[in-house]
Amino acid sequence: MQGNNEQLLQKLNEIKLENDFLRNQATRLKDLESEIIELRQREEEFKKSEEQFRLMNLHANIGIACYTPEGIIIFYNSLAAKYMNGTPEDFEGKSIFDVFPEKEAEIYLSRIKRSAASDEPVHYEDMIDLPSGRKYFLSTFSRIFDSDDNLLGIHIISYDITDRKEVEDKLKESEEKFKLLFDYAPDAYFLTDLKGTFIDGNIAAEKMLGQEKTELIGKNYLKLNLLSTKQLPRAAKLLIKNSLGQGTGPDEFELNRKDGSKVTVEIITYPIKISDHSQVLGLARDITERKKAKERLLEANKKLRLHFELTPMAVIEWDLDFKVTQWNTSAEKIFGYKHREAIGKHASFIVPESAHQHVDQLWQGLMKKRGGERSINENTCKDGKTILCDCYNTPSSDEQGRVRG
């Protein structure tokens, strides 16, 4: 009886152990099933993410390509294929030499190989003649690896910068034109900051001052020996106006040249902005000869005036209406009328009525340049006395030859 009980207990213990094992197995199977479900979910999410990434690359609004290190095309997205007048499927598996001319293909393959050996992305800017037309691109070459860190290929992202480059080229062309106009302008042009420090100058400015612009750039013209001490306050006031956004001039200055000689200039300035920096554009015109000519003219006019006033002969100027415009001292003495009394009066005030017809004929001849340059007339003085005058008459003409008086 006792033996049977021991056998029963042993059997029950074995059944218990077997049940424990089965329960453990069931738990493990359940855990494994959960792991499999989770793995499947992750795989689906990965596939979904991979598909989203593929679609994102495929339809991105930038050109994307992928090559093997040997230059075989793995992938072109839609835009990259469009640039080549095709679809992504048209290029998969093709060599870079199949889609580009040999010279360009060799350049791009060398870049791919260089990128394959580089730990950092490599950037290039190019002008490329594509089947779809000439384009400018900014491209980034970078390596891509699999999960085991094996190199899969070179990923290339290309940004179309054609519009930007065209704007840059136009800006560069505009700057070059401005530079040519600036450098070769017949007058002296210069640029300074708002404190008077030279930034640039043209060829005419160098000739005007007798020194290279490199000797002046970076230096303040208020501290150089270009201006006399007397002129400095006036020049400083003009700079203040420029700083307030006001143009100045024309203002006359006398500049000291490098060789010690002097040059008289007329300066006009304009406040401008270049690359958001406030500057002053100045124009200086050499008026030395013009000023000398003006001084000579003034001197000649002064001498002529002295001659006009001091000559013993009466000198009278008439306008087209035969009225007095000039009346010298001798005319005052001969006819008795003061300057203020004679100016504006018609010639009849010194011509007696009996001589009117004769004088009128002389006047018409002078107006038509048909004689009348010499005449002997009777004239009436202020005191009523009649005198006989020997007259020398000269018509005054403008540049077109028209008589003005």
Side-chain angles (χ1 to χ4, degrees):
M1 186 71 177
Q2 185 177 355
N4 289 334
N5 289 334
E6 289 177 354
Q7 289 178 356
L8 182 60
L9 288 172
Q10 185 178 356
K11 192 68 174 175
L12 289 172
N13 189 46
E14 289 176 356
I15 292 170
K16 181 177 180 301
L17 290 173
E18 186 176 351
N19 286 339
D20 290 341
F21 175 76
L22 290 173
R23 277 196 296 272
N24 287 335
Q25 286 296 99
T27 301
R28 288 183 62 188
L29 287 172
K30 188 174 181 180
D31 291 341
L32 183 60
E33 183 180 4
S34 297
E35 288 179 8
I36 291 171
I37 292 171
E38 186 177 350
L39 284 172
R40 284 177 177 172
Q41 288 175 341
R42 289 181 180 179
E43 184 179 0
E44 289 297 323
E45 288 174 359
F46 178 75
K47 286 181 178 179
K48 184 178 179 181
S49 175
E50 190 178 50
E51 179 65 13
Q52 288 175 341
F53 181 75
R54 188 188 72 81
L55 290 172
M56 183 177 67
N57 276 271
L58 183 65
H59 300 295
N61 61 355
I62 54 175
I64 300 174
C66 188
Y67 290 85
T68 68
E70 295 73 33
I72 303 301
I73 299 170
I74 300 172
F75 171 78
Y76 268 12
N77 77 340
S78 297
L79 187 57
K82 183 180 178 181
Y83 287 143
M84 304 299 294
N85 283 350
T87 63
E89 294 77 16
D90 296 333
F91 300 97
E92 289 180 10
K94 288 188 176 181
S95 167
I96 196 169
F97 288 92
D98 295 330
V99 295
F100 290 103
E102 184 177 357
K103 185 178 179 180
E104 284 81 356
E106 287 177 353
I107 293 172
Y108 302 145
L109 182 59
S110 68
R111 291 180 179 180
I112 289 170
K113 290 181 177 180
R114 193 177 302 124
S115 298
S118 174
D119 292 332
E120 299 294 331
V122 185
H123 308 283
Y124 299 96
E125 187 173 308
D126 297 289
M127 185 277 290
I128 304 176
D129 286 314
L130 298 172
S132 57
R134 177 170 291 183
K135 295 280 186 181
Y136 289 89
F137 290 100
L138 177 63
S139 300
T140 300
F141 289 57
S142 55
R143 298 183 297 182
I144 53 174
F145 299 88
D146 63 15
S147 57
D148 295 324
D149 210 25
N150 296 313
L151 180 64
L152 291 177
I154 302 301
H155 191 247
I156 304 172
I157 299 176
S158 296
Y159 297 90
D160 183 351
I161 58 170
T162 304
D163 291 342
R164 191 194 80 187
K165 285 295 291 183
E166 287 177 351
V167 170
E168 288 176 354
D169 289 343
K170 286 179 181 177
L171 179 61
K172 184 179 179 182
E173 182 182 353
S174 176
E175 288 173 346
E176 288 173 351
K177 286 180 180 178
F178 172 79
K179 185 65 176 171
L180 283 171
L181 291 172
F182 180 87
D183 283 341
Y184 295 99
D187 290 316
Y189 281 85
F190 60 90
L191 284 171
T192 73
D193 64 14
L194 295 178
K195 294 181 179 179
T197 302
F198 280 112
I199 297 171
D200 200 1
N202 70 348
I203 296 169
E206 291 179 323
K207 290 179 179 177
M208 177 181 285
L209 298 176
Q211 55 188 313
E212 300 290 331
K213 64 181 180 181
T214 52
E215 301 176 65
L216 300 172
I217 290 175
K219 297 177 182 177
N220 192 297
Y221 66 74
L222 295 176
K223 298 179 181 178
L224 295 171
N225 191 35
L226 290 176
L227 297 167
S228 65
T229 305
K230 185 179 179 180
Q231 296 178 104
L232 289 177
R234 188 157 58 94
K237 286 181 180 178
L238 298 181
L239 270 177
I240 292 173
K241 284 188 175 182
N242 291 147
S243 67
L244 296 174
Q246 300 173 17
T248 67
D251 295 286
E252 187 177 308
F253 287 91
E254 187 177 67
L255 304 181
N256 300 314
R257 303 178 81 247
K258 188 177 181 180
D259 62 6
S261 61
K262 297 182 184 298
V263 57
T264 304
V265 298
E266 202 170 64
I267 296 177
I268 300 172
T269 66
Y270 304 92
I272 61 172
K273 278 201 171 184
I274 299 178
S275 301
D276 291 329
H277 295 291
S278 295
Q279 297 179 4
V280 178
L281 173 64
L283 162 63
R285 178 167 292 171
D286 185 347
I287 61 168
T288 305
E289 292 305 317
R290 189 181 82 187
K291 189 172 182 182
K292 287 179 180 178
K294 184 179 179 181
E295 289 172 352
R296 288 194 295 268
L297 180 61
L298 289 172
E299 183 64 23
N301 286 337
K302 184 179 179 181
K303 290 178 179 179
L304 182 62
R305 188 68 191 175
L306 283 171
H307 178 70
F308 177 83
E309 292 296 337
L310 299 178
T311 181
M313 298 176 66
V315 179
I316 305 170
E317 291 184 10
W318 312 89
D319 63 16
L320 291 175
D321 295 322
F322 212 178
K323 292 181 179 180
V324 177
T325 59
Q326 291 292 340
W327 185 267
N328 75 344
T329 305
S330 293
E332 289 183 337
K333 292 177 180 178
I334 292 171
F335 295 103
Y337 291 96
K338 294 294 184 183
H339 180 272
R340 65 178 181 277
E341 295 176 293
I343 294 298
K345 284 193 175 183
H346 189 270
S348 57
F349 83 110
I350 59 170
V351 177
E353 188 174 347
S354 59
H356 281 185
Q357 185 177 357
H358 172 65
V359 171
D360 286 342
Q361 288 175 351
L362 289 172
W363 180 257
Q364 293 303 321
L366 289 167
M367 291 297 100
K368 296 176 182 179
K369 295 185 178 180
R370 293 178 182 174
E373 288 84 2
R374 176 79 183 275
S375 66
I376 297 176
N377 310 317
E378 283 188 347
N379 290 100
T380 305
C381 299
K382 185 177 180 180
D383 60 7
K385 183 172 62 174
T386 299
I387 59 175
L388 193 63
C389 296
D390 189 358
C391 302
Y392 295 84
N393 308 308
T394 304
S396 175
S397 304
D398 61 16
E399 293 178 356
Q400 285 74 40
R402 293 172 297 195
V403 176
R404 290 301 184 189

